[in-house]
Amino acid sequence: MTRHYSALSLLREGLNGQRGWQPAWQDADPKPRYDAIVIGGGGHGLATAYYLAKNHGITNVALIERGWIGGGNTGRNTTIIRSNYFFPETAAFFEFALKLYEDLSRELNYNIMFSQRGMWMLGHDRHGMEMLRRSANAMRLNGIDAELHNEAGVRAEIPGLNDSPRFPILGGLNQPRGGSARHDAVAWGYARAASALGVDIIQNCEVQGFLIEDGHVRGVETSRGTIRSECVGMAVAGHSTVVAEKAGVRLPISSYALQAFVSEPVKPCLDTVLLSPATGTYLSQSDKGELVIGAGLDLYLSYAQRGNLPWMERAAAGVIELFPAFSRMRFLRQWAGICDVVHDSTPIIGATDLGGFYVNCGWGTGGFKAIPAGGWCLAHAMATGASHPLASAFSLDRFRTGALIDEASASGIAH
């Protein structure tokens, strides 16, 4: 049976009628006890299980997913990867994630289709350009690549922009190493690699409660029976508050829907990732030719993964404002992911007040780009009981001490 993916194995299996492939991962039944349990079969949960096994030698791990692998927020985003943050703590963390992404296909022996096509943010007025200058300087001070361009530089790199836009294009900030990856491939690659190291991937298994004794977690009650462990990690994206509440842990998180859209496929016309703050639109082109278009957060709290016409109209208006030539394209489909938004727009990674219970949450709209580093740091916390240096500033304690990292105000992001 063939397990390693290579040109030779593709040729061999092609000649063999594709009959020799092993399943990418084994769908396991739960055992009564594990050394560690990870709740959530999205990118962060799968990465956590993989790094527990790879970095710390803990292979007796249960990865529990309520639905199917990658069926949550990992498959409901716009797959943008960048590290253009402002404060040293967040810049270092997301730069570490980007570096892990750069080598992830080779490490997992799975093509995640990471395309470093650049990430542009446009400046539409004097204040916007001042913010881009601050961001460029902050990125360079943090050792991250950054290019600041005037209008002519932007138009030379991004053909097709509106010649007479309602919101003038005065310049742009580009991170050349930014880009996008295939979201399914990231989830499937981590699942395959974790399963190969011995992790039990258990799908269609819902956590219904926690076993707690003397202030310490002792396991979980699930729809497939009781599973015991003294160490439980949670990475469930938009439903963090719901699952944590079952353990009696309250998280300072508000949940909103974030909508996105794809157009019908067209020939290659946009070879970068573009964000326009004035129009509230960000877009890129997929390898299949579809425009992948992001909108803003809904203005009200919700767990509903659905769309609405006002945001669709606003996203379409933003795209046409930037590229009038796209005005005759049709939307192909729409989706919404649920975003956990924290007051300072910085994630939470580490221990809780409940012994043995660790969380990875609060990503807002930035969870996909953080998957490798989020899994790496949660695995470190679960294995050692201490925060990883990259995530030490992201603990729950900052809401008690006031040591918040207000990345929203600094970077001018919309949440």
Side-chain angles (χ1 to χ4, degrees):
M1 298 289 280
T2 300
R3 184 161 188 86
H4 184 76
Y5 296 161
S6 65
L8 179 61
S9 65
L10 287 172
L11 176 61
R12 184 170 60 245
E13 291 303 329
L15 296 173
N16 192 36
Q18 310 292 348
R19 293 190 294 269
W21 296 111
Q22 286 188 345
W25 64 85
Q26 301 296 324
D27 199 9
D29 292 321
K31 296 186 297 190
R33 177 175 289 278
Y34 290 89
D35 293 334
I37 295 172
V38 179
I39 305 171
H44 283 269
L46 291 163
T48 301
Y50 170 70
Y51 291 122
L52 275 171
K54 176 180 177 288
N55 292 357
H56 304 283
I58 302 174
T59 59
N60 185 28
V61 176
L63 185 289
I64 301 174
E65 166 56 41
R66 182 178 66 171
W68 63 91
I69 293 302
N73 270 17
T74 300
R76 291 176 170 272
N77 61 82
T78 51
T79 72
I80 297 172
I81 296 170
R82 57 183 173 85
S83 60
N84 53 350
Y85 282 77
F86 194 87
F87 285 107
E89 296 89 344
T90 42
F93 181 88
F94 284 99
E95 178 65 9
F96 181 66
L98 197 159
K99 289 179 177 176
L100 289 177
Y101 263 123
E102 289 176 326
D103 193 43
L104 202 56
S105 291
R106 184 203 59 78
E107 178 174 342
L108 301 180
N109 182 224
Y110 202 97
N111 185 8
I112 66 165
M113 302 172 69
F114 182 29
S115 171
Q116 292 180 286
R117 62 187 69 176
M119 167 71 203
W120 284 84
M121 182 179 295
L122 299 182
H124 296 281
D125 53 31
R126 179 168 59 86
H127 304 292
M129 288 303 300
E130 178 60 25
M131 183 58 73
L132 293 187
R133 291 189 189 94
R134 291 181 60 197
S135 296
N137 290 333
M139 291 169 65
R140 290 167 181 160
L141 286 172
N142 290 320
I144 297 172
D145 56 318
E147 299 175 353
L148 190 62
H149 294 259
N150 59 18
E151 179 183 0
V154 172
R155 293 186 178 279
E157 296 294 328
I158 310 175
L161 284 169
N162 194 345
D163 290 331
S164 55
R166 177 184 176 195
F167 301 103
I169 300 173
L170 304 183
L173 171 65
N174 180 34
Q175 183 183 15
R177 291 167 53 244
S180 66
R182 172 73 180 173
H183 49 81
D184 291 331
V186 173
W188 296 341
Y190 270 122
R192 176 174 175 270
S195 179
L197 293 174
V199 172
D200 276 359
I201 295 178
I202 305 166
Q203 301 179 88
N204 301 308
C205 182
E206 181 178 2
V207 171
Q208 298 173 331
F210 286 75
L211 303 177
I212 299 171
E213 298 174 359
D214 302 325
H216 198 289
V217 68
R218 307 295 179 187
V220 293
E221 296 283 2
T222 79
S223 57
R224 299 178 64 177
T226 300
I227 308 175
R228 293 188 174 274
S229 177
E230 310 296 314
C231 181
V232 177
M234 182 193 76
V236 296
H239 289 76
S240 300
T241 52
V242 177
V243 177
E245 189 174 3
K246 297 178 187 293
V249 175
R250 293 190 63 190
L251 297 172
I253 287 175
S254 302
S255 298
Y256 300 84
L258 178 69
Q259 299 183 48
F261 314 86
V262 294
S263 73
E264 59 185 332
V266 295
K267 293 181 179 178
C269 57
L270 181 64
D271 64 351
T272 190
V273 181
L274 180 63
L275 167 63
S276 166
T279 63
T281 303
Y282 45 99
L283 72 161
S284 62
Q285 188 171 24
S286 73
D287 294 330
K288 293 187 292 185
E290 304 158 334
L291 292 181
V292 183
I293 305 161
L297 292 171
D298 281 1
L299 302 179
Y300 48 88
L301 300 174
S302 173
Y303 291 108
Q305 295 174 322
R306 51 88 194 98
N308 56 52
L309 288 177
W311 273 119
M312 180 178 287
E313 182 181 17
R314 180 171 175 173
V319 171
I320 295 171
E321 162 68 15
L322 293 170
F323 298 98
F326 295 165
S327 62
R328 298 181 66 85
M329 295 175 67
R330 297 178 174 85
F331 280 130
L332 186 67
R333 64 181 183 275
Q334 175 279 341
W335 67 88
I338 305 303
C339 296
D340 285 348
V341 177
V342 183
H343 303 312
D344 61 352
S345 295
T346 297
I348 302 168
I349 306 175
T352 68
D353 290 337
L354 176 61
F357 182 52
Y358 303 86
V359 296
N360 168 337
C361 57
W363 293 100
T365 59
F368 183 77
K369 69 177 72 67
I371 282 174
W376 185 290
C377 291
L378 181 60
H380 179 94
M382 293 175 66
T384 67
S387 292
H388 189 281
L390 281 170
S392 60
F394 302 158
S395 71
L396 274 169
D397 280 342
R398 73 178 190 267
F399 298 99
R400 302 187 182 96
T401 64
L404 304 179
I405 305 169
D406 196 347
E407 195 61 64
S409 296
S411 298
I413 57 179
H415 60 271

